[in-house]
């Protein structure tokens, strides 16, 4: 399965990497891009990431067999009322956002309450703290998971098309419900990003101040790398997965408070138990999943 | 400068790596090890990390020019009253612990209140979530920082000797006060470890449960790797740097609560500001300090 033309809406790290990958695999004959500003689109042309671009949505959508929303989540949500009425029969709409439930609701609202059959929401679990089309790579999705969240109303051909697109990038495809996705990602990705951003702000306010990076060992660098992620993207994720994220933060705070109180009480046994339990959980479930 | 024999007390990752390094650099002619149990000591012999070992402290200390405390911090503290009276003039005592103030106080208490002139506390900022002598490497300290915290009473020859030892491992040596060290390390190392352990315990208690690692991207693995660190070592660090760690945790909690409240209030502007500030702090001060 292959398509003639793919339209990428929002040409950043993920959109650019998808463009590179579907072109080099031959899944798409050409890739065009649409955005509000021409800067990243022009850069995409210069870097050979895309074949063409347009600042006009009607022009950009002409002859596109797949439309991929790859802008920040709230921009995607705002575009849906414009996009859905322009979608010809047989054209597939998908996305790469880190939150699925919010976007599904936005699509239903823009579609008179019904789930659009041509819509297949998806989320590649790949990324980098480096942003923008300049950091894009055709190999970004190889051996990474892509979660696809079809609904009962989803057109089977549309689902097959999106699965084929991700298969062509070398990714492994997993299907689950949008709510399950959002709970999972709140725990494994959204919460850790909040913790890393918070560590930076907490350290910036501390006496140790700016000397910190001079004396930071490898573990610290690993821990804080994700605090260099795109603030606009993460603002949208925090807003769009608000309820799940709040639950994850509150659960985390309760556990942190228990540890804090054990430190204050100098309760060595409890600290040891907490650390052993954490290490055991990580060692057991990360086994065989390390990239190196 | 070189010594005939170095005694390592506690043969784990750090002690074993130091043994390998000073032998391969020629700084020491031989390395012996002492411990309460023979298991890691025998393994050290089998792996060619040390030349000899003993379970008897007097025997182990015979002819040693440098004695290196490399056991968990509280074990080191408990050993000081036995060690200090056995220390011949000219013999240097040092350590590799992650906390300096607590060990300094323990040494003063074991020495009738006075700072022992032969004692030079040090801390190599190198490590791994892998534990034990089997994970040791002669290259562990190359281009890493070693913080040395001499006191006014420290014998200058003892300080020169410890500096020469670390220089021979390829490390960069920095001097600062013990209190300054403990504040800095609470921020850059002890707090992040507590946050990583807490993330594991929080996730273990969540609905996402054990499926988490299946869908965890690279950032998550980086973030949680340090939760596999040695629980006993970290129990001791939390207990021995209690006051500084408590301050760091409390400061962190205040910042996390501010972020949490911005999420609850769906305050996009504040979230964006928090993320931009965090990213800016990290990007500015980590520049040029990334290992790759």
């Amino acid at each position: 399965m292959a398509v003639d033309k793919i339209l990428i809406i929002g040409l950043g790290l993920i959109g650019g990497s998808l463009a590179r990958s579907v072109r080099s695999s031959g899944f798409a004959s050409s890739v065009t891009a649409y955005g509000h500003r021409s800067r990243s689109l022009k850069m995409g042309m210069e870097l050979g990431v895309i074949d063409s671009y347009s600042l006009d949505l009607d022009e950009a959508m002409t002859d596109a067999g797949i439309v991929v929303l790859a802008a920040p989540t709230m921009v995607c949500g705002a575009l849906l009322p414009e996009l859905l009425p322009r979608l010809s029969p047989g054209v597939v709409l998908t996305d790469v956002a880190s939150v699925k439930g919010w976007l599904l609701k936005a699509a239903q609202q823009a579609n008179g309450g019904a789930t659009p059959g041509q819509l297949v929401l998806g989320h590649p679990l790949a990324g980098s703290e480096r942003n923008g089309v300049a950091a894009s790579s055709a190999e970004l999705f190889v051996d990474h998971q892509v979660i696809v969240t079809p609904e009962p109303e989803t057109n089977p051909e549309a689902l097959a098309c999106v699965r084929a697109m991700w298969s062509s990038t070398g990714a492994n495809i997993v299907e689950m419900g949008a709510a399950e996705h959002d709970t999972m990602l709140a725990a494994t990705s959204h919460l850790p990003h909040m913790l890393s951003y918070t560590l930076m702000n907490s350290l910036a306010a501390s006496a140790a101040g700016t000397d910190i990076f001079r004396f930071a060992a490898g573990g610290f660098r690993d821990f804080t790398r994700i605090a260099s992620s795109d603030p606009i993207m993460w603002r949208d994720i925090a807003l769009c997965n608000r309820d799940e994220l709040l639950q994850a933060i509150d659960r985390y705070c309760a556990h942190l408070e228990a540890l804090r109180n054990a430190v204050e009480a100098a309760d060595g046994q409890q600290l040891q138990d907490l650390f052993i339990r954490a290490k055991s959980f990580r060692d057991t479930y990360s086994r065989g999943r390390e990239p190196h």
Side-chain angles (χ1 to χ4, degrees), chain A:
Chain A
M1 187 188 277
V3 295
D4 276 348
K5 185 173 150 188
I6 288 185
L7 166 61
I8 309 270
I9 294 184
L11 198 65
L13 172 71
I14 300 293
S17 296
L18 181 58
R20 284 186 191 270
S21 185
V22 292
R23 286 171 87 212
S24 75
S25 74
F27 178 79
S29 312
S30 75
V31 175
T32 191
Y34 165 81
H36 285 310
R37 287 181 300 272
S38 62
R39 193 166 155 268
S40 67
L41 302 173
K42 279 182 180 160
M43 192 186 288
M45 288 294 288
E46 282 160 20
L47 295 169
V49 173
I50 50 173
D51 299 286
S52 61
Y53 73 85
S54 174
L55 299 172
D56 180 272
L57 188 58
D58 286 310
E59 186 180 76
M61 289 180 75
T62 305
D63 301 327
I66 304 180
V67 177
V68 182
L69 290 162
T73 312
M74 294 185 89
V75 172
C76 295
L79 265 172
L80 282 168
E82 297 184 54
L83 259 173
L84 287 173
R86 287 174 164 87
L87 220 55
S88 307
V91 175
V92 174
L93 177 63
T94 187
D95 79 311
V96 298
S98 301
V99 178
K100 303 272 70 103
W102 186 90
L103 213 52
L104 176 62
K105 266 189 209 148
Q108 290 164 337
Q109 278 171 10
N111 195 46
T115 305
Q118 292 162 265
L119 176 69
V120 183
L121 292 175
H123 178 205
L125 301 188
S128 165
E129 77 282 2
R130 298 188 305 144
N131 311 317
V133 64
S136 64
S137 154
E139 311 297 316
L140 187 67
F141 308 110
V142 174
D143 290 335
H144 281 69
Q145 314 251 17
V146 173
I147 298 175
V148 180
T149 61
E151 293 291 304
E153 299 85 350
T154 304
N155 183 328
E157 288 78 32
L159 175 58
C161 177
V162 169
R163 291 187 65 109
M165 178 183 79
W166 285 116
S167 284
S168 81
T169 70
N172 305 313
I173 299 153
V174 181
E175 289 185 22
M176 64 172 73
E180 187 187 352
H181 168 279
D182 289 353
T183 302
M184 180 81 75
L185 268 288
T188 58
S189 170
H190 307 172
L191 173 64
H193 276 80
M194 300 303 116
L195 299 178
S196 188
Y197 280 128
T198 299
L199 182 60
M200 284 298 99
N201 285 328
S202 165
L203 293 184
S206 83
T210 57
D211 250 5
I212 279 169
F213 285 94
R214 195 171 157 215
F215 299 105
F220 179 76
R221 290 204 194 86
D222 287 345
F223 197 89
T224 60
R225 188 164 289 124
I226 53 178
S228 286
S229 301
D230 180 12
I232 303 300
M233 174 181 159
W234 282 95
R235 176 202 64 190
D236 280 13
I237 291 172
L239 294 173
C240 296
N241 204 21
R242 176 177 165 273
D243 294 348
E244 291 293 338
L245 180 57
L246 265 186
Q247 274 191 36
I249 294 177
D250 287 345
R251 189 186 305 116
Y252 185 87
C253 284
H255 282 268
L256 185 56
E257 199 185 347
L259 188 153
R260 182 225 174 270
N261 292 342
V263 173
E264 187 174 45
D267 187 339
Q269 188 60 52
Q270 204 195 332
L271 287 170
Q272 185 176 329
D273 290 348
L274 287 173
F275 298 161
I276 287 174
R277 207 179 312 147
K279 175 178 167 60
S280 154
F281 182 73
R282 183 178 191 281
D283 289 352
T284 303
Y285 294 105
S286 69
R287 202 163 290 153
R289 303 191 189 280
E290 292 292 328
H292 48 80

